[in-house]
Amino acid sequence: VALAWQAVVAAPFLLENPSAYVARAFGGPGDLQHAWSVNWRMLSEGVFLHRYFAPGLLACHFVLGVWFAHVRWVPGGLLDARIRRWSASSRLD
């Protein structure tokens, strides 16, 4: 549902100028501003504005999401053999 909503909202922009939409829609240089940050005030502005800080945050978010799915959402974990045999008509337990 969320992906469909994103596609509906993005469609007019993608039809008009797809390269500009993709370049700007998901962040880019200058999107993180130390002056507006509340959660990252403990870092100096130099660290906060470093070019690898935002991609690092994104990578951490992705890794923690996969780890959480492995530990909490999938019985037996993501590498369980039952996952490979799973189909929409079967259950994991």
Side-chain angles (χ1 to χ4, degrees):
V1 173
L3 184 60
W5 174 249
Q6 289 296 322
V8 167
V9 171
F13 303 103
L14 286 171
L15 293 172
E16 183 68 30
N17 192 350
S19 60
Y21 176 77
V22 172
R24 297 296 309 235
F26 303 105
D31 285 343
L32 294 177
Q33 296 180 7
H34 192 259
W36 292 99
S37 172
V38 174
N39 298 325
W40 297 102
R41 287 285 184 167
M42 66 216 162
L43 299 177
S44 69
E45 190 171 359
V47 172
F48 185 83
L49 296 176
H50 192 274
R51 72 182 279 197
Y52 294 120
F53 182 69
L57 284 177
L58 184 62
C60 288
H61 183 83
F62 177 76
V63 167
L64 287 172
V66 170
W67 173 80
F68 190 79
H70 176 71
V71 172
R72 296 290 294 163
W73 291 334
V74 180
L78 294 172
L79 302 177
D80 190 2
R82 293 179 294 172
I83 296 296
R84 291 186 289 275
R85 294 189 311 262
W86 182 80
S87 69
S89 61
S90 67
R91 292 185 50 176
L92 290 176
D93 49 12

